[in-house]
Amino acid sequence: MADRITLRSKDFNEWYTDVIAHAKLADYSPVRGCLVIRPNGYALWEVVQRDLDRRFKETGHQNAYFPLLIPESYLKKEKDHVEGFAPQCAVVTHGGGKKLDEPLVIRPTSETIINAMYSKWIQSYRDLPVLINQWANVVRWEMRTRPFLRTTEFLWQEGHTCHETEEEAKRETLKMLDIYQTFLREIFAIPVIPGEKSASEKFAGAVQTYCVEAMMQDKKALQAATSHYFGTRFAEVFDIKFQNRVGQNQFVHQTSWGISTRVIGALIMTHSDDQGLVLPPKAAPIPVVIVPIMAKGKDNGPVLEVARRLKQEIGKSVRCHLDDREEHSAGYKFNEWEIQGIPIRLEIGPRDLADNICVLARRDGIKTKVKLDEAVASVGRTLDEFQMVLYEKARKHLEDNTFLEDSWDRFKERLEAEGGFYQMHWCGSADCEEKVKQETKATIRCIPFQQIKESSACIVCKGPSTGRVIFARSY
């Protein structure tokens, strides 16, 4: 661990890894590319799990669990799917000291093993819809890894649903994308742009892939979540048929959707600063910490008594921690909780007690003196305010760094000098898309739902275009 956190302006990548280390979110494991998620980091994943699990269940979804090991022949059944994942697969060839009759793939995603089961479970329209989600780990053999953003093993949830009609499945696809967008906005205070992926960027085996794209502080894009419409592709491969309402056999229409621990990376890079992690109150496992300022060799009983009472009262509405450790100074504790991103710190010492006040310190450095009998109400108001402040700051950053561009040369210059999102015309050609990627390392992040639709010329070939898409460099 570095002694100090690298400044963002000096090296954004180094700053990111320093924040993770200093805030005790994760550490590197002895296994290349794999991450040990420490309690502080896992608590953030639990926030994701709790909130999204509630939203999934409110919309009729149920949790299940499917095997980690998938027969290699299953993965090979869908051509596009296997081609998309083959380079990233980890394969088990031996077990129990013997060579296996068929190699087993450690799941990079679970479509194939889940669909093998759906083909057994679904017989009639009465069995539909099937709305199943699983919280799991997956393995993708990444060559270049970064904590939370891209690791060999990572945690995620993957929803897999089956429907009677195309219309119903497409509604499901967009509904789940909206759930992700709402979660990111309301809990993680991250503004995103929802849209559809281009054909070359969509999920392997999908008919359509939708995504929500976020902008990090270094103005790069991060795909925060995806939702896919599969049509009947996997149903045809795995023979998932049902007898419809007029007695005919037909294939189900399917969706898949997911979010992973990379969203923790998005949270870090959206809000944190040079002092460490910054957490929106609704994303914080512990939104409030109380630090009593204790004097050596003196009776600290009155201060501790008030601190405990405040903890009890505040704890009725939000989780609150009392840091009454005697082995560390108040300054040490202030620094520690600041690095770990706690939204509000309440300070109370003998002088504050004498004046019937405490100090409310917001994570962005704003301090306020409040009366002790008003502290609980002030904490509630400040948490709400800080949540809004962080969202608006991120929203303005996204807005201020999203540009309209019609000149190929100027786009290349600005992307290199400024970064950001560029709304540009594209003819729909994969060749033009690839040229942008090869020459600038920017990709089409999405065709936004709120697309600027107008007739103009493609940024690359000058062929006809009917609307602008978003190009950016990304994680």
Side-chain angles (χ1 to χ4, degrees):
M1 182 188 292
D3 292 334
R4 298 184 63 181
I5 295 173
T6 302
L7 298 178
R8 288 166 293 175
S9 58
K10 182 178 179 181
D11 188 328
F12 191 84
N13 293 334
E14 192 68 26
W15 164 83
Y16 173 73
T17 55
D18 283 353
V19 169
I20 289 172
H22 282 263
K24 300 178 182 177
L25 299 177
D27 204 349
Y28 296 102
S29 83
V31 181
R32 180 199 166 277
C34 291
L35 198 64
V36 174
I37 303 177
R38 301 182 68 177
N40 285 355
Y42 198 81
L44 292 174
W45 182 239
E46 288 178 318
V47 170
V48 177
Q49 286 181 307
R50 279 194 302 270
D51 191 89
L52 284 178
D53 201 62
R54 173 183 59 81
R55 295 176 195 265
F56 296 161
K57 287 173 180 173
E58 286 174 351
T59 48
H61 300 85
Q62 296 177 297
N63 288 332
Y65 188 80
F66 297 85
L68 174 70
L69 300 175
I70 301 172
E72 189 178 53
S73 60
Y74 282 31
L75 205 67
K76 290 180 176 179
K77 285 188 175 184
E78 212 286 331
K79 177 178 177 293
D80 291 339
H81 194 66
V82 69
E83 288 180 357
F85 282 104
Q88 296 178 307
C89 286
V91 183
V92 178
T93 58
H94 289 71
K98 297 179 181 179
K99 186 175 182 179
L100 301 177
D101 293 334
E102 178 181 0
L104 298 172
V105 175
I106 301 175
R107 64 173 167 234
T109 182
S110 299
E111 277 76 14
T112 54
I113 191 72
I114 290 176
N115 284 321
M117 302 310 298
Y118 285 174
S119 67
K120 295 172 60 177
W121 298 345
I122 298 170
Q123 306 298 325
S124 164
Y125 71 90
R126 296 182 182 87
D127 300 323
L128 297 171
V130 173
L131 306 175
I132 286 181
N133 173 68
Q134 81 163 343
W135 295 92
N137 62 335
V138 291
V139 170
R140 297 180 184 175
W141 212 257
E142 300 284 358
M143 293 298 103
R144 294 183 178 181
T145 60
R146 296 191 68 194
F148 293 116
L149 301 179
R150 198 173 294 277
T151 51
T152 299
E153 179 189 11
F154 56 92
L155 304 179
W156 76 350
Q157 59 74 212
E158 49 180 321
H160 297 273
T161 70
C162 297
H163 305 266
E164 284 188 68
T165 66
E166 175 183 353
E167 180 184 9
E168 184 183 324
K170 286 186 172 180
R171 277 202 308 269
E172 166 83 1
T173 309
L174 294 176
K175 176 171 66 179
M176 302 318 293
L177 190 77
D178 187 61
I179 283 176
Y180 292 134
Q181 183 177 355
T182 302
F183 164 78
L184 289 162
R185 180 181 66 247
E186 293 182 354
I187 307 302
F188 272 21
I190 299 176
V192 293
I193 298 175
E196 183 177 355
K197 286 291 190 184
S198 65
S200 64
E201 291 287 328
K202 69 183 180 182
F203 181 79
V207 176
Q208 292 169 296
T209 289
Y210 301 97
C211 63
V212 284
E213 296 287 329
M215 181 185 287
M216 304 296 96
Q217 289 183 58
D218 63 351
K219 304 176 190 176
K220 285 185 179 180
L222 188 143
Q223 178 182 285
T226 52
S227 187
H228 317 286
Y229 170 61
F230 286 146
T232 60
R233 283 189 177 182
F234 284 97
E236 291 171 25
V237 169
F238 286 89
D239 198 33
I240 311 174
K241 290 180 181 177
F242 68 98
Q243 190 174 70
N244 64 21
R245 295 171 190 268
V246 294
Q248 298 173 330
N249 284 334
Q250 70 177 71
F251 293 111
V252 298
H253 292 263
Q254 293 183 281
T255 80
S256 176
W257 28 272
I259 197 169
S260 76
T261 38
R262 93 177 336 230
V263 77
I264 297 174
L267 181 71
I268 296 165
M269 291 195 289
T270 299
H271 301 300
S272 301
D273 60 23
D274 291 339
Q275 281 68 54
L277 185 65
V278 175
L279 294 175
K282 291 183 180 180
I286 302 174
V288 183
V289 64
I290 300 172
V291 180
I293 300 170
M294 295 180 282
K296 288 185 178 181
K298 294 188 177 181
D299 180 15
N300 294 302
V303 170
L304 287 170
E305 182 181 347
V306 172
R308 292 184 186 115
R309 178 170 56 80
L310 282 173
K311 178 184 183 298
Q312 185 177 20
E313 291 300 313
I314 293 169
K316 292 177 182 178
S317 54
V318 296
R319 191 175 179 194
C320 179
H321 175 70
L322 172 62
D323 187 350
D324 56 0
R325 294 174 295 173
E326 296 182 359
E327 63 271 24
H328 293 299
S329 68
Y332 178 95
K333 296 175 187 178
F334 294 167
N335 183 62
E336 182 179 42
W337 294 118
E338 182 175 68
I339 288 172
Q340 294 185 26
I342 302 300
I344 288 181
R345 184 179 71 245
L346 280 182
E347 307 165 6
I348 182 166
R351 291 182 182 177
D352 301 315
L353 193 60
D355 294 334
N356 197 38
I357 62 169
C358 62
V359 176
L360 192 157
R362 214 167 73 173
R363 176 56 184 79
D364 57 357
I366 296 176
K367 284 191 173 186
T368 310
K369 292 182 179 180
V370 298
K371 293 182 179 179
L372 286 175
D373 58 359
E374 297 176 359
V376 175
S378 294
V379 164
R381 285 195 302 270
T382 304
L383 288 172
D384 290 341
E385 290 168 3
F386 192 41
Q387 184 82 19
M388 291 177 60
V389 164
L390 290 177
Y391 179 80
E392 282 302 310
K393 183 179 179 181
R395 186 199 59 76
K396 189 173 188 304
H397 178 69
L398 173 61
E399 182 180 291
D400 291 347
N401 293 286
T402 300
F403 312 108
L404 296 179
E405 187 54 76
D406 295 313
S407 165
W408 171 246
D409 290 335
R410 190 166 59 233
F411 160 63
K412 291 194 291 184
E413 291 173 3
R414 292 185 71 186
L415 180 67
E416 195 62 39
E418 304 173 47
F421 287 9
Y422 291 82
Q423 297 202 57
M424 305 191 300
H425 279 280
W426 172 58
C427 64
S429 160
D431 289 339
C432 289
E433 185 179 5
E434 183 63 21
K435 181 176 180 180
V436 175
K437 183 176 181 179
Q438 291 300 321
E439 293 196 18
T440 70
K441 297 182 181 178
T443 55
I444 294 177
R445 302 316 306 156
C446 71
I447 304 164
F449 291 155
Q450 295 184 345
Q451 184 183 27
I452 300 173
K453 295 184 177 180
E454 58 188 14
S455 297
S456 190
C458 173
I459 191 75
V460 179
C461 71
K462 303 307 177 185
S465 166
T466 58
R468 295 178 184 269
V469 301
I470 293 176
F471 283 89
R473 290 175 178 166
S474 68
Y475 285 97

